[in-house]
Amino acid sequence: MTEPTPPRARRPLTLRDVSEASGVSEMTVSRVMRNRGDVSAATRARVLAAAQRLGYVPNKIAGALASQRVNLVAVIIPSLSNLVFPEVLNGVNAGLDGTGLQPVVGISRYEPEREEKVLYEMLSWRPSGLIIAGLEHSDAARAMLRAADVPVVEIMDVDGEPVDSVVGISHRRAGAEMAEAIASAGYRRIGFLGTKMPMDHRARKRFEAFTGALARSGIEIADHQFYAGGSGLKKGREMTEALLRRSPDLDFLYYSNDMIAAGGLLHCLDAGIDVPGRLGLAGFNGIELLDGLPMQLATTDACRREIGQKAAEIIARCAETGACDGGERIALAPRLSPGETLFRA
Amino acid sequence: MTEPTPPRARRPLTLRDVSEASGVSEMTVSRVMRNRGDVSAATRARVLAAAQRLGYVPNKIAGALASQRVNLVAVIIPSLSNLVFPEVLNGVNAGLDGTGLQPVVGISRYEPEREEKVLYEMLSWRPSGLIIAGLEHSDAARAMLRAADVPVVEIMDVDGEPVDSVVGISHRRAGAEMAEAIASAGYRRIGFLGTKMPMDHRARKRFEAFTGALARSGIEIADHQFYAGGSGLKKGREMTEALLRRSPDLDFLYYSNDMIAAGGLLHCLDAGIDVPGRLGLAGFNGIELLDGLPMQLATTDACRREIGQKAAEIIARCAETGACDGGERIALAPRLSPGETLFRA
DNA sequence: ATGAAAGCGCTAACAG
DNA sequence: CTGTTAGCGCTTTCAT
């Protein structure tokens, strides 16, 4: 870790500079810059002119320290490679739009220690709110979340005990519903393909509930394979091929995300496998970008954007009223869409 | 809501609290928290214990004001929906890793006014550096960039005059090289499908250079279509179908990004069009996620991750040395890969 | 190795 | 409507 920036050469402009240039007190300049209080149109214009001419940009650090107010909302997510989290961020952006609040993003890489570090780092900026993916955190992280005098919204998942508020879907429910849909459609030899579990609690919960629900229908998972690393079409193809080679009698494959499911679909079509007649397929997330595949993939919409937006709205409400009594719990309904790869022909 | 809400009304902890709890001066506590100066192992341990027990998190706002250093790097990009920019951010993250610097992301939505606002907002936090997509900014924005006493790296594009440093590829060159590859392969009736230009300068530059280079080969663009809104497979399918209906004699389609190109490819395969024999296709970006399509798409790698990383490294270097004299100019080479959709059978 | 004093640039809270 | 006075919580600088 190197040191942050040493002070730079030219002295940055301050309120005082504008004050002197416009012949008005610093306080009045401050009022103009913030559109606060009553300032005569004349002084106002004079101050703005001076500020613009000098190229003055207020120092929010000083402002925040003095006012004890920070217009930042910390958002902590595991990854940006996942395609899912950018959508959540879009939702957050939408929910914060017009509130004067700005999201600041931190990446935890699915590593608890790193999440802890990022959390500490972000809390040290005293944000107006904190949005964090998942309900599973290290003890230290939970302690920080509780100790921080900030509204906290845990997102994506509602299966567990939130520190404060929570917005998400039940991944257990999503997994169970998919299992039921698959079983009712008549599939019996079911395989699972997904990310390595310790890294991804939500995928794990889906998997557990999936197998649990299958068991209630008297079905046991016939085969499964976990992988680490990124999820692309190619990975989906390769893993699907390998799994089918190993267990040729599978009649359904449930994937932990749409991208590898799409890869699997493309492999099956190439291999001349009858989908969904001989083999059914389903993914997870409901990635819109993938609408337009040769067949529409069965999947569950994880409401990513909506989750981000609702979480942001909770923070925004707290920031406005200044007081948030209780944690809100918002459980959105994961919508299963069978597409064209789930019903047996 | 019967659960009693955990109290979180307390005054945030300060150095003074830790100082009192550990019986050491604030100054020494400060030294411990920053691993600075000489502190005896004994005091150090005592302070850390107290801090941990209380759950103290230092206030960076106060720290930044006092020290005049901020470990934040502002990153301004047009969008997060684009799949391309998350990759740039990953590069930035990688480049900043281990430097103690943290990226803070702002979204400009391809709107100059919004870019200006976001820029102002971020500069007001006095970041250690600024990374911003593109070379085209409003006059006011350019003025701010120049006035800000901060290293600035403009990224993605090198065709223009940077304010300070620049890391990117030449989109003109990328467009021209693709035109040459297409022409040499023998295609003659060439169509273009891409985002609406005023929003996206880089796409515009590719398009201009593309048509220019074709012209030098005596070829004129046979048809083209621009669109607004997101880019998904479906959009690519629909637009390709429409364009081909309008101009059935096209023998090549150049897309402004891989996602719609992939949609186009899927449409062509569905429609039984011989690719690349009767119709060639090419996209842009080199999205790895899409490896695994039925045919490997011709595309140009835009070096997104590398660009983010190199830009971050420039900032990191400036932050470390404290002085950056000149703007660096790094032009990476856009690598054209013909895949399987460009060579005539 | 530790402490005391003096701000960093701004805003809250009053005065006028 | 405008100005004055104190800090915000930390770090710098200089003593000890």
Side-chain angles (χ1 to χ4, degrees):
Chain A
M1 294 263 253
T2 35
E3 300 308 321
T5 329
R8 253 163 234 302
R10 221 171 52 240
R11 178 182 62 76
L13 294 161
T14 70
L15 265 189
R16 168 180 235 114
D17 296 306
V18 183
S19 164
E20 285 170 359
S22 62
V24 181
S25 79
E26 288 185 38
M27 197 54 233
T28 300
V29 176
S30 168
R31 287 193 179 100
V32 171
M33 296 310 293
R34 289 175 296 146
N35 295 313
R36 264 287 187 10
D38 298 310
V39 181
S40 76
T43 3
R44 200 187 142 66
R46 201 141 43 92
V47 169
L48 283 177
Q52 198 129 12
R53 180 161 42 77
L54 297 177
Y56 170 68
V57 176
N59 184 332
K60 284 221 176 189
I61 297 175
L65 182 61
S67 67
Q68 306 282 53
R69 236 187 294 281
V70 176
N71 70 336
L72 263 23
V73 175
V75 184
I76 301 181
I77 53 179
S79 151
L80 277 174
S81 316
N82 199 300
L83 197 43
V84 164
F85 296 106
E87 294 191 55
V88 174
L89 290 184
N90 280 321
V92 171
N93 266 301
L96 255 30
D97 210 39
T99 64
L101 294 172
Q102 272 245 328
V104 181
V105 181
I107 306 296
S108 67
R109 296 197 208 136
Y110 289 103
E111 301 165 17
E113 323 79 49
R114 185 160 163 100
E115 178 180 271
E116 214 176 289
K117 235 194 78 187
V118 170
L119 178 59
Y120 185 83
E121 193 77 11
M122 309 215 90
L123 285 180
S124 72
W125 285 100
R126 303 284 189 268
S128 290
L130 176 63
I131 297 174
I132 184 166
L135 291 161
E136 283 76 19
H137 316 289
S138 70
D139 287 340
R142 288 184 75 90
M144 280 196 260
L145 289 175
R146 249 187 309 262
D149 192 20
V150 169
V152 173
V153 186
E154 289 167 281
I155 58 169
M156 316 291 291
D157 185 4
V158 299
D159 297 322
E161 271 314 307
V163 168
D164 183 3
S165 296
V166 61
V167 182
I169 63 169
S170 166
H171 287 260
R172 294 201 199 287
R173 182 174 152 194
E177 287 183 353
M178 185 58 83
E180 284 152 19
I182 292 168
S184 329
Y187 297 101
R188 287 297 174 269
R189 299 280 308 162
I190 297 160
F192 180 91
L193 253 170
T195 47
K196 277 218 168 75
M197 295 311 170
M199 310 173 67
D200 187 339
H201 296 282
R202 294 177 286 286
R204 174 178 55 73
K205 289 173 184 174
R206 288 199 300 280
F207 179 64
E208 288 169 1
F210 182 73
T211 54
L214 285 184
R216 283 195 293 283
S217 303
I219 303 177
E220 194 156 344
I221 279 271
D223 199 353
H224 63 266
Q225 179 72 48
F226 303 134
Y227 68 93
S231 309
L233 292 176
K234 195 173 188 180
K235 191 125 187 180
R237 285 185 107 106
E238 293 169 350
M239 295 198 24
T240 301
E241 183 174 11
L243 193 65
L244 288 177
R245 195 194 319 280
R246 184 165 77 195
S247 304
D249 61 336
L250 292 177
D251 65 3
F252 201 96
L253 283 175
Y254 184 33
Y255 296 84
S256 77
N257 71 66
D258 285 344
M259 207 65 193
I260 51 165
L265 171 61
L266 292 176
H267 165 75
C268 291
L269 297 181
D270 272 7
I273 297 171
D274 167 23
V275 177
R278 145 124 175 61
L279 183 71
L281 301 172
F284 180 83
N285 267 331
I287 300 274
E288 273 184 37
L289 237 48
L290 291 177
D291 281 358
L293 287 169
M295 305 182 66
Q296 204 192 327
L297 204 57
T299 188
T300 306
D301 181 3
C303 312
R304 304 164 305 282
R305 196 190 147 89
E306 198 179 352
I307 286 173
Q309 177 155 359
K310 288 223 180 308
E313 284 166 2
I314 291 177
I315 303 287
R317 214 174 308 129
C318 291
E320 251 180 289
T321 67
C324 309
D325 14 313
E328 288 187 52
R329 287 174 153 271
I330 302 184
L332 303 174
R335 284 182 302 278
L336 192 159
S337 82
E340 304 168 319
T341 63
L342 172 50
F343 290 124
R344 183 148 245 166
Chain B
M1 233 31 75
T2 31
E3 298 288 324
T5 314
R8 68 164 154 56
R10 285 169 327 251
R11 174 182 60 76
L13 295 160
T14 69
L15 265 189
R16 169 180 232 112
D17 296 306
V18 183
S19 164
E20 285 170 0
S22 62
V24 181
S25 79
E26 287 186 38
M27 198 51 238
T28 300
V29 176
S30 168
R31 286 193 179 100
V32 171
M33 298 310 294
R34 290 175 295 145
N35 295 314
R36 264 292 186 25
D38 298 311
V39 181
S40 76
T43 6
R44 200 185 142 66
R46 202 140 43 90
V47 169
L48 283 177
Q52 198 129 12
R53 180 161 42 77
L54 297 177
Y56 170 68
V57 176
N59 185 332
K60 285 222 177 189
I61 297 175
L65 182 61
S67 67
Q68 306 282 62
R69 344 159 168 262
V70 176
N71 69 336
L72 262 25
V73 175
V75 184
I76 301 181
I77 53 179
S79 151
L80 276 174
S81 317
N82 198 302
L83 197 44
V84 164
F85 296 106
E87 295 191 54
V88 174
L89 291 184
N90 279 322
V92 171
N93 266 303
L96 255 31
D97 209 40
T99 65
L101 294 172
Q102 271 245 328
V104 181
V105 180
I107 306 295
S108 67
R109 295 197 208 137
Y110 289 102
E111 300 165 18
E113 323 78 49
R114 186 160 163 100
E115 179 179 271
E116 213 176 291
K117 235 194 76 187
V118 170
L119 179 58
Y120 184 83
E121 192 78 10
M122 308 215 91
L123 285 180
S124 74
W125 285 100
R126 303 283 189 268
S128 289
L130 176 64
I131 297 175
I132 184 167
L135 291 161
E136 283 76 21
H137 316 290
S138 71
D139 288 340
R142 289 184 75 88
M144 280 197 264
L145 288 175
R146 247 186 310 262
D149 193 18
V150 169
V152 173
V153 186
E154 288 167 282
I155 57 169
M156 317 292 291
D157 186 3
V158 299
D159 298 322
E161 271 313 308
V163 168
D164 185 2
S165 296
V166 60
V167 182
I169 62 169
S170 166
H171 287 260
R172 293 201 200 287
R173 180 172 154 196
E177 288 183 353
M178 186 57 83
E180 284 151 19
I182 293 169
S184 329
Y187 297 101
R188 287 296 174 270
R189 298 282 307 162
I190 297 161
F192 180 91
L193 253 168
T195 49
K196 277 217 168 73
M197 297 310 171
M199 310 173 68
D200 187 339
H201 296 282
R202 294 176 286 285
R204 174 177 55 72
K205 289 173 185 174
R206 287 200 300 280
F207 180 62
E208 288 169 359
F210 182 70
T211 55
L214 285 185
R216 282 195 293 284
S217 303
I219 304 176
E220 194 156 345
I221 278 272
D223 199 353
H224 63 266
Q225 180 71 47
F226 302 135
Y227 68 93
S231 309
L233 291 177
K234 195 173 188 179
K235 191 125 185 179
R237 284 186 107 106
E238 294 169 350
M239 294 200 21
T240 300
E241 182 174 11
L243 193 65
L244 288 177
R245 195 192 321 281
R246 185 165 77 195
S247 304
D249 62 336
L250 292 176
D251 66 3
F252 201 96
L253 283 174
Y254 183 35
Y255 297 83
S256 77
N257 70 66
D258 285 343
M259 207 65 192
I260 51 164
L265 171 61
L266 292 176
H267 165 74
C268 291
L269 297 180
D270 273 8
I273 297 172
D274 167 23
V275 177
R278 144 122 175 62
L279 183 71
L281 302 171
F284 180 83
N285 265 332
I287 301 274
E288 272 184 37
L289 238 49
L290 290 177
D291 281 358
L293 287 169
M295 304 182 68
Q296 203 191 329
L297 204 57
T299 188
T300 307
D301 181 3
C303 312
R304 304 164 304 283
R305 196 190 147 89
E306 198 179 352
I307 286 173
Q309 177 155 359
K310 288 224 181 306
E313 285 167 0
I314 291 178
I315 303 288
R317 215 174 307 132
C318 290
E320 251 180 294
T321 67
C324 311
D325 11 316
E328 289 186 52
R329 290 177 150 269
I330 302 184
L332 303 174
R335 282 183 302 277
L336 192 159
S337 82
E340 305 168 318
T341 63
L342 173 48
F343 289 124
R344 183 147 244 165

